[in-house]
Amino acid sequence: MKKQRIGIVGDGLAGLMTALALNDLPTLDVQIIAKKNKLKKDKRTTAISASNYEFFHRVLDKLDKKLFWPSKKINLFYESNEKKINFLNFNEDNNNLLYIFENDKIKDILNREIKKKKIKIIRKNINKSADLDEYNLKVLCLGRNSKIYQSVIKSRSIEKDYKEIALTGYVKHNIKDISTSQFFLKEGPLAILPFSKNNFSFVWSVKKGFATENIAFTIKSKICEILKVKNINITNIQSYPLTLNLKRTYYKNDVLILGEGLHTIHPVAGQGFNLVLRDIKKLKEVLKYYTGLGMSIKSSPALEDFSNQRKSENIITGVGIDLTHNFFKQNKLLDPLKDIILKNVSKNDTLKKISKFISNQGLSI
Ligand SMILES: Cc1cc2nc3c(=O)[nH]c(=O)nc-3n(C[C@H](O)[C@H](O)[C@H](O)COP(=O)(O)OP(=O)(O)OC[C@H]3O[C@@H](n4cnc5c(N)ncnc54)[C@H](O)[C@@H]3O)c2cc1C
């Protein structure tokens, strides 16, 4: 049977990974359609679970392990009146809990692999899905805000504007042994993500308008205070507006949305791209099955199956993270109770095991 042509629109992490994963299937002819290369580099890091790290290994022929910094420990802190409570620690002696990579370096590696595998990239700005008529399946990986989604999907999403921004950046340091940590501070959650021996990145979610003057100084003072250090060097500060957007419909006819366009969630738990990777795994599985039976994607229930199998986990995770974020927000009535609740959390081994399992494998086991 003739190969079915797949057009993947967008060359962010979602588009590049989808192209490489689907290109493995002998029934498909994969092409990427993306805008001209941008000048602005994505100076963020991403934390992925151990099971998603294995998926990276399966998708890329030879993966340079040095690009993924492993973490055996994750520590969670809560800032109550003047003191910080270390309310939960995940600690593994023999297994890595997660891996952290630099987005721009991994995008370079994925682009190199795409070249090596001779996957065609068409440089074009797509304005409507009708521009993609030649493809048997169109996969829109256009990031969170594309107007094209509205022309594909009419139903309303689950939406919220957090009225917050995530401040991100890199920190050079001389701290001996630094672990992946999340500090639930009064101003908002601040994550510390080590990605090499002397470098970590941070993600600090704060209210819009927070410290507009001398932001670098404010960030440096806060990080020095929580880590009890004096000398650090901060670079690459960037800011991202934060919203929640969970689509209720994933596809129409032969057009599918994937990546941040399907679920934009709060970065507090570092789960956004982890969900995307699980979506890609599932999409590959269903397309392999139906095209392997000799069915055309259009006449098969492939997209319906994909949507049925992924939607609940994506919505539950997005809403669950939203609730967690709300719980840690400052609240005069709830704050005295939080100390008591969090002290009990640290004693509950079952809860620890469940949360470790879910963040590695997701909910759809
Ligand atoms: C601050 C922050 C920290 C995060 N940390 C984590 C983490 O630790 N762990 C985790 O799992 N997730 C994390 N995430 C989520 C993660 O960054 C995203 O899931 C991931 O980047 C996937 O993005 P994407 O490829 O869907 O979209 P994008 O990166 O936005 O890519 C969209 C692409 O589409 C292209 N494009 C757009 N319009 C057109 C058009 N009309 N025609 C052609 N091309 C077009 C763009 O040029 C771009 O290349 C974080 C998110 C934020 C905001």
Side-chain angles (χ1 to χ4, degrees):
M1 194 189 166
K2 209 175 142 219
K3 284 187 175 196
Q4 300 190 54
R5 182 165 280 184
I6 315 290
I8 293 165
V9 196
D11 62 348
L13 285 173
L16 296 173
M17 272 304 275
T18 307
L20 284 167
L22 298 188
N23 189 60
D24 272 355
L25 300 180
T27 46
L28 306 181
D29 166 22
V30 175
Q31 296 189 352
I32 298 175
I33 306 102
K35 282 185 196 171
K36 287 221 167 68
N37 285 332
K38 312 140 273 253
L39 293 173
K40 195 183 166 212
K41 283 255 177 190
D42 180 353
K43 298 306 280 183
R44 277 179 295 172
T45 65
T46 301
I48 55 167
S49 67
S51 63
N52 277 331
Y53 173 69
E54 279 166 29
F55 181 57
F56 255 93
H57 265 283
R58 269 180 269 139
V59 170
L60 287 141
D61 285 345
K62 275 187 209 133
L63 195 58
D64 183 355
K65 287 186 181 159
K66 279 185 231 134
L67 293 169
F68 293 80
W69 191 256
S71 208
K72 285 190 165 56
K73 281 187 202 165
I74 306 172
N75 301 326
L76 305 182
F77 299 85
Y78 167 67
E79 184 179 49
S80 79
N81 293 330
E82 306 313 322
K83 64 173 188 245
K84 291 182 187 65
I85 305 170
N86 176 202
F87 68 93
L88 202 55
N89 298 316
F90 296 98
N91 204 337
E92 288 278 310
D93 289 333
N94 303 317
N95 298 318
N96 293 316
L97 290 166
L98 51 86
Y99 294 80
I100 294 160
F101 64 76
E102 290 172 77
N103 289 14
D104 58 348
K105 286 195 180 156
I106 290 300
K107 278 184 195 168
D108 287 348
I109 297 288
L110 295 174
N111 273 307
R112 231 177 286 159
E113 189 81 4
I114 276 164
K115 231 182 191 170
K116 200 177 103 192
K117 295 202 164 143
K118 299 192 170 58
I119 300 174
K120 195 169 168 189
I121 302 193
I122 299 155
R123 290 283 166 207
K124 190 160 138 186
N125 191 359
I126 295 294
N127 296 312
K128 49 188 186 313
S129 58
D131 294 347
L132 301 159
D133 274 351
E134 63 184 284
Y135 296 97
N136 300 104
L137 170 66
K138 298 101 174 148
V139 186
L140 306 181
C141 304
L142 297 165
R144 49 174 73 184
N145 285 326
S146 177
K147 288 204 175 79
I148 303 175
Y149 300 145
Q150 291 152 23
S151 65
V152 178
I153 281 154
K154 301 280 183 253
S155 69
R156 274 203 64 187
S157 312
I158 298 169
E159 303 182 295
K160 177 170 174 175
D161 181 353
Y162 285 108
K163 299 192 171 63
E164 290 174 17
I165 50 164
L167 297 166
T168 61
Y170 286 5
V171 176
K172 208 168 176 47
H173 65 87
N174 287 313
I175 306 165
K176 246 192 177 168
D177 185 20
I178 187 157
S179 306
T180 303
S181 315
Q182 179 74 261
F183 292 84
F184 292 95
L185 305 175
K186 290 191 177 126
E187 300 89 341
L190 191 160
I192 302 285
L193 304 159
F195 64 88
S196 72
K197 191 164 169 264
N198 292 110
N199 289 282
F200 64 78
S201 71
F202 63 85
V203 182
W204 193 11
S205 309
V206 292
K207 275 193 192 136
K208 270 186 188 156
F210 168 80
T212 39
E213 277 167 38
N214 217 343
I215 193 73
F217 176 79
T218 310
I219 295 170
K220 187 173 176 178
S221 313
K222 185 50 89 176
I223 292 178
C224 286
E225 179 205 317
I226 58 173
L227 297 180
K228 302 185 179 72
V229 290
K230 283 193 178 125
N231 284 326
I232 57 169
N233 185 26
I234 300 192
T235 53
N236 294 319
I237 296 178
Q238 295 183 337
S239 121
Y240 296 82
L242 297 180
T243 53
L244 174 75
N245 187 305
L246 304 167
K247 294 270 185 304
R248 287 187 228 244
T249 308
Y250 281 18
Y251 71 97
K252 187 180 168 191
N253 302 328
D254 53 0
V255 186
L256 172 72
I257 301 176
L258 209 66
E260 283 233 282
L262 217 50
H263 37 74
T264 307
I265 61 176
H266 199 286
V268 63
Q271 284 301 310
F273 191 54
N274 280 290
L275 291 177
V276 175
L277 288 172
R278 287 187 205 117
D279 290 342
I280 298 172
K281 256 187 263 181
K282 183 54 72 186
L283 181 65
K284 183 177 175 181
E285 207 178 292
V286 295
L287 291 180
K288 184 178 177 185
Y289 178 72
Y290 288 108
T291 60
L293 292 176
M295 292 175 84
S296 77
I297 296 169
K298 216 173 181 173
S299 63
S300 79
L303 299 186
E304 189 186 350
D305 267 16
F306 166 75
S307 156
N308 287 343
Q309 293 189 56
R310 290 301 304 152
K311 210 186 307 174
S312 341
E313 177 181 347
N314 290 336
I315 291 183
I316 292 170
T317 308
V319 172
I321 289 171
D322 180 55
L323 289 168
T324 309
H325 177 53
N326 268 341
F327 173 83
F328 283 102
K329 267 186 177 171
Q330 268 195 298
N331 177 326
K332 273 187 194 145
L333 285 174
L334 199 63
D335 283 351
L337 283 175
K338 276 186 207 159
D339 289 17
I340 303 165
I341 296 170
L342 292 174
K343 272 175 196 152
N344 283 310
V345 163
S346 62
K347 290 179 203 148
N348 192 327
D349 273 347
T350 313
L351 186 78
K352 255 166 105 170
K353 273 187 199 146
I354 294 171
S355 39
K356 206 159 72 183
F357 187 81
I358 291 175
S359 55
N360 185 29
Q361 303 283 349
L363 293 165
S364 50
I365 306 138

